[in-house]
Amino acid sequence: MSDFYTGKISRRAFLRAGLTAAVGLSLGRFAGSAWAAPNLVGREAEADDRLRKFLLTAMEGEVELGAGETFRTWLYDGRLPGPEIRVREGERLRVELDNRLPEATTVHWHGIPLPNAQDGVPGLTQAPIAPGERFRYEFRAAPGGSYLYHSHMNLQLDRGLYGPLIIEERTPHVDYDREFSLLLDDHLPAAPRPLEELVGEADAQRGEMMGGMMGGRMGRMMGGFVVPPYAALLANGRLPSDPPVFEVRRRERVRLRLLNPSGATTYRIAVAGHRMTVVHADGQPVEPVQVDSLTISMGERYDVLIETDNPGVWPIDAAPVEGDTAPARAVLRYQGVRNRAAPQDALAEGLREGRQLQLADLRALDPLPAGEPDRTLDLTLSGRGETTWMIDGETWPEAAPLRVERGQRVRCRMLNRSMMIHPMHLHGHFFRVADAMKDTVLVPPHMGRVEFDFIADNPGRWLFHCHNIYHMEAGMAREFRYVQ
Ligand code: C2O
Ligand code: CU
């Protein structure tokens, strides 16, 4: 893999983290497992599989981000993240989406190889759900793993329309005493707007002789590219100055489900005082591999185990790999340890040194066997100006569908001819990349190359796109299409 994976976190990010750490730990609250059960409306027995029903309401609302800050935005069930949906592998999941937003919406069940009509892509697999309307999604929850659900309409995801979807494995390949989910989010205080508008504003700012304020509500420049004006990075919807706390006991094995539904941020994450054993990538079991940090891009998930053998109060830090926003933070707190603040500069040391997870470290327990492809596609990832992003020279939605045949083994060879990270996500299938099975993979900038194989065994119209939603919105998507 490219040296991107061994890149360094900026010095300023460390300094800024020190500042938040000072107030952060002493104020920590038990917010880690604060998700109440979502609106469970009933259970029914079916022939074999149980049917589990949920009602999910997309609505405007206000949430607390901690440290006295509130935020009015669009949410599922009025919460940020949205409520945890948790089912057992093999159960049928039915979610009724009640759209009380002022705009049409859809929900996508990120990573699950479900029937195409349930995939939630507006204009491709369903009509948008109009304001005031309901739509029923139903599919078999399999395979087990950590997944996300989120709006797939325009840039709605970046308002806060996302949540965790956990499918408990029938037979986990590792055991553990307790678990927590940690969702990372880049917090945009204003309504998200497409790159085109952000660039227009950045140009206007430059015209004002650098006198204007950078940041604020306008687009910001980062490495020569305009990025949305994020105000902070959140862990489970909370600011780093008032982080969620995961309470543990000594001598436990704790499973942390790390999920990244951010609009445009890739993180490197580490737990102070502890190593992490990676046990799942995008929900799929891998041979356990011990690391000090890992990189998680938009749409990716990693499950890690932590052995609690080092009593104290420890930060879990997720620093952006681009830009210098202060890291998102959660806290691992041992019961019985007196609440104490961490030292000022106590950003988890694993971010600076130690072993970083590499893609090549991941070995799926049950991989698609190695083999020759029936079809090979070369898919260049590139940009034009700052506001157009392409796959193989074409922009969505004008791009022609990529037609494959049912049963084919399809190889996609991606080459990133741009200076930005692109986490590429395929709907409806897992793919083999290196020795891992994933549904989203980071393609490093500056001529980074990644290739994956998938089996065309789930007919329909499937979106393949960059999970930086601004890139997706600016054209970086294609459709794979095949019929029965
Ligand atoms: Cu999580 Cu097409 O997306
Ligand atoms: Cu991208």
Side-chain angles (χ1 to χ4, degrees):
M1 284 311 298
S2 125
D3 58 351
F4 168 74
Y5 277 93
T6 54
K8 293 275 185 296
I9 302 298
S10 90
R11 171 108 188 108
R12 272 177 70 198
F14 272 103
L15 295 176
R16 296 179 59 164
L19 296 179
T20 59
V23 275
L25 292 183
S26 54
L27 296 173
R29 295 172 25 181
F30 188 78
S33 54
W35 289 309
N39 300 327
L40 185 59
V41 295
R43 294 177 175 191
E44 274 174 21
E46 274 194 342
D48 280 312
D49 305 326
R50 235 167 16 152
L51 176 64
R52 305 257 277 142
K53 299 185 201 169
F54 296 85
L55 173 65
L56 194 63
T57 304
M59 56 186 280
E60 254 182 300
E62 190 171 275
V63 284
E64 293 206 18
L65 303 177
E69 273 199 55
T70 58
F71 174 41
R72 208 173 164 78
T73 188
W74 296 2
L75 302 158
Y76 290 122
D77 287 7
R79 297 219 293 264
L80 185 72
E84 181 185 86
I85 295 177
R86 181 178 285 260
V87 293
R88 293 204 57 203
E89 186 173 11
E91 289 178 333
R92 287 197 71 77
L93 173 57
R94 178 187 293 174
V95 183
E96 188 99 9
L97 189 278
D98 184 6
N99 182 12
R100 295 199 204 150
L101 300 172
E103 272 180 17
T105 195
T106 63
V107 185
H108 171 57
W109 313 95
H110 177 111
I112 301 178
L114 38 60
N116 193 237
Q118 308 305 314
D119 199 41
V121 180
L124 199 66
T125 68
Q126 72 171 99
I129 309 161
E133 281 187 5
R134 286 187 171 208
F135 187 89
R136 174 184 290 182
Y137 295 94
E138 187 174 327
F139 50 89
R140 186 167 174 268
S146 304
Y147 299 92
L148 292 161
Y149 64 91
H150 63 78
S151 165
H152 215 295
M153 193 81 191
N154 304 329
L155 300 171
Q156 286 178 1
L157 167 62
D158 223 13
R159 290 182 185 256
L161 288 169
Y162 67 82
L165 170 49
I166 307 299
I167 304 180
E168 293 178 350
E169 303 106 332
R170 291 205 173 270
T171 45
H173 72 301
V174 287
D175 45 50
Y176 51 94
D177 303 297
R178 64 175 85 215
E179 65 165 273
F180 300 97
S181 296
L182 175 50
L183 286 86
L184 302 168
D185 185 16
D186 37 19
H187 166 51
L188 193 62
R193 281 151 330 136
L195 290 176
E196 209 157 11
E197 286 181 37
L198 296 175
V199 166
E201 286 164 3
D203 286 347
Q205 282 175 344
R206 281 181 215 128
E208 281 165 24
M209 294 267 320
M210 341 271 265
M213 293 206 330
M214 295 298 262
R217 303 176 79 81
M218 314 237 187
R220 284 191 303 164
M221 299 301 293
M222 194 171 72
F225 286 90
V226 72
V227 293
Y230 292 120
L233 300 174
L234 307 179
N236 290 352
R238 303 199 62 91
L239 292 164
S241 54
D242 198 353
V245 175
F246 302 143
E247 293 238 19
V248 299
R249 288 175 203 229
R250 231 183 138 153
R251 285 189 281 279
E252 285 183 331
R253 302 182 91 197
V254 177
R255 179 178 185 170
L256 264 186
R257 300 177 187 260
L258 309 173
L259 308 98
N260 183 3
S262 297
T265 303
T266 298
Y267 304 82
R268 180 152 315 123
I269 186 163
V271 183
H274 299 75
R275 303 195 82 196
M276 302 182 286
T277 302
V278 179
V279 291
H280 298 77
D282 291 352
Q284 298 312 293
V286 295
E287 288 173 21
V289 51
Q290 208 177 47
V291 298
D292 297 289
S293 71
L294 62 84
T295 300
I296 183 165
S297 200
M298 297 136 255
E300 290 191 300
R301 293 91 62 210
Y302 286 101
D303 290 30
V304 302
L305 291 184
I306 293 168
E307 310 257 353
T308 53
D309 52 7
N310 193 4
V313 180
W314 301 100
I316 302 171
D317 288 317
V321 304
E322 298 168 311
D324 57 11
T325 312
R329 168 166 284 188
V331 170
L332 187 72
R333 180 159 72 204
Y334 285 66
Q335 283 179 14
V337 170
R338 295 272 298 280
N339 208 5
R340 62 173 167 82
Q344 284 260 336
D345 60 349
L347 197 60
E349 68 283 4
L351 293 180
R352 269 194 272 225
E353 55 199 30
R355 178 174 177 189
Q356 285 173 17
L357 181 72
Q358 308 290 315
L359 186 54
D361 292 332
L362 296 171
R363 305 224 178 287
L365 289 198
D366 191 15
L368 173 67
E372 285 310 305
D374 301 304
R375 183 75 202 286
T376 300
L377 298 162
D378 284 303
L379 301 172
T380 303
L381 312 177
S382 64
R384 195 190 310 123
E386 290 183 78
T387 56
T388 304
W389 287 98
M390 295 171 288
I391 298 178
D392 198 25
E394 297 195 48
T395 56
W396 177 262
E398 295 78 28
L402 299 166
R403 291 181 187 272
V404 297
E405 308 266 310
R406 188 173 192 180
Q408 280 184 330
R409 181 186 183 111
V410 181
R411 179 163 298 168
C412 296
R413 300 196 297 201
M414 299 177 290
L415 167 62
N416 185 351
R417 289 186 173 274
S418 79
M419 281 141 52
M420 296 192 87
I421 291 167
H422 303 294
M424 301 304 296
H425 172 52
L426 176 62
H427 286 214
H429 306 73
F430 287 100
F431 50 70
R432 178 175 173 145
V433 56
D435 293 326
M437 295 302 291
K438 296 187 96 259
D439 53 62
T440 309
V441 65
L442 185 162
V443 186
H446 307 291
M447 307 304 276
R449 287 176 192 273
V450 175
E451 63 175 53
F452 65 75
D453 284 14
F454 74 93
I455 303 291
D457 58 1
N458 191 9
R461 306 179 67 180
W462 299 106
L463 206 61
F464 169 63
H465 65 93
C466 177
H467 218 280
N468 177 319
I469 55 163
Y470 295 85
H471 294 179
M472 178 180 77
E473 198 276 341
M476 202 167 216
R478 298 293 293 263
E479 172 195 349
F480 276 99
R481 188 187 293 184
Y482 59 103
V483 292
Q484 296 284 359

